[in-house]
Amino acid sequence: MGRIDFDDLSGSLASSTALITDITDRDAYLHDATEERGTPLAIVFAECEDDIVATVDFCRRHNLPLVARGAGTGLSGGCVPIDGGLVISTERMKGLRIDARQRTAVCGPGLITKQLVDAATEYGLTYPPDPASYDESTLGGNVAEGAGGLRCKRFGVTKDYVIGLRAVTADGRILKTGIFCDHQAFGLGDLLIASEGTLAVISEIGVRLIETPAIGTTILAAYGSPEDAAQTVSDITRTGIVPTVLEYIDGDAAACSNEYEKADWLDDRVAAILLIETRRLGEDTEKVKHLCRENRCVYLHVEENAAKADRLWTVRRNVSKAMKALAKYRVSEDVAVPNSRFPVLVAFVAEMNRRSPLRINAYGHAGDGNLHVNFMSMTGSDTELVAMEPEIERLLKRAVELGGTLTGEHGIGLAKRKYLPYEFGVATLDYMKRVKRLFDPANIFNPGKIFPTV
Ligand SMILES: Cc1cc2nc3c(=O)[nH]c(=O)nc-3n(C[C@H](O)[C@H](O)[C@H](O)COP(=O)(O)OP(=O)(O)OC[C@H]3O[C@@H](n4cnc5c(N)ncnc54)[C@H](O)[C@@H]3O)c2cc1C
């Protein structure tokens, strides 16, 4: 490929600081929260939809891959640059208009999730989907990954709140869905949600807001075995109780968290912990406590102090960062299974950890059946690194056998693309690839992500 002349692109961008061709000192943009990395030719910091259009047109003319990027907190390699391609960061597109009477908001893709939540709070409203990364991740990244979160057991995930999208397509036109267009035939917006930047670059997002719910009661239950904790999760679902939050953390994940926090917020002498938020003054709290005891919890505490409860939730949000900080090399999987199969899955993970040279632990949004299984190489030795892939494969196969999925919320990206056939039949995969080819015939958007080939 000849040398690319970027003058033409920089002249059509809104700001003189929007195009970076010297990526020295831009290490943060070469990776996400996985261990994968790539080296782009240039990074565009889009400030408006026209900047995205100009960049897409430039990439199409020069046949260059284009990777959209929010905050880079992804856990499947989705925004990792393609070597020799371009990255378009939408982090500067932080527009926000709240219509409190309609209970809606229109957001730029670079708005950080917590910024939306904080702004909505001023009107007595909230945006419930709250990935643990919500103080860093962007709305664009949340939509592109179909993010879940702690409160999703009760309130639903990102797709349940998106009411419209604007997106720049591979031919440089603007696709409008939901509130941005007149009618909703074909539900094209649904195709874009969780498409991981492979179909279009999202330039504006309409979401629904709800009245801020009352803060509930935080319950911490600790167990002598992971299966007992997981059985409690299964029983809570079976009895029809819908807690606001239902999180599982095994003892080793709690130990990592304590080491990272340099504190002992979570008791790591136990095999597993459930952190639960129920509706305040509801009968649910008593029923949940009863189910915890029935499943032999060894410690049960209702946290009445709001600051301490809040601190516990912050500690939970930081668990992923704790693993990343402590291990030499870490892969975080995010399988999900039906709640009734959750005990089988946690027993399987505990057994893997017993016989593996790796440190394997787990935590996750158990209420949604989601389990983040961490495969950690603590020394970076060959023995540990060689063990990684077969262990991951075993986990993914088992999750699908249990009626579950390869990814509850983190997406396929680079990390899980070769495992797609475990979960999807030939016809389904064929139709997914046809959709990709229809939207992006030249395969400019995030090539190689989700599908190794299209
Ligand atoms: C500590 C930690 C906790 C986490 N907890 C959760 C959790 O509870 N729930 C959960 O679901 N995830 C969680 N994640 C994963 C991650 O935060 C989410 O996937 C999040 O939605 C990614 O947002 P981002 O802005 O960082 O996107 P990025 O990582 O920058 O990108 C993610 C994907 O979105 C695409 N993308 C980004 N912006 C656009 C755009 N404008 N148009 C089109 N495509 C775009 C990218 O190409 C890429 O494929 C966690 C990650 C960390 C590090």
Side-chain angles (χ1 to χ4, degrees), residues 389 392-393 396 406 415-423:
E389 202 167 308
I392 291 171
E393 254 182 64
L396 298 179
L406 301 172
K416 274 167 273 201
R417 58 185 184 169
K418 72 173 173 189
Y419 305 114
L420 278 182
Y422 289 5
E423 184 171 346

Side-chain angles (χ1 to χ4, degrees), residues 32-33 67-75 78-79 90 109 130-133 137-138 140-142 144-145 147-150 196-197 200-202 317 320-321 365 372 409-410 446:
D32 61 1
V67 178
R69 177 186 176 93
T73 66
L75 281 164
C79 72
T90 49
D130 58 343
S133 55
S137 66
T138 64
N142 292 174
E145 292 291 5
L150 278 76
E196 302 186 25
V201 181
I202 297 161
R317 286 182 186 282
S320 176
K321 287 182 191 160
H365 314 310
H372 299 325
E409 55 183 21
H410 293 165
N446 225 353

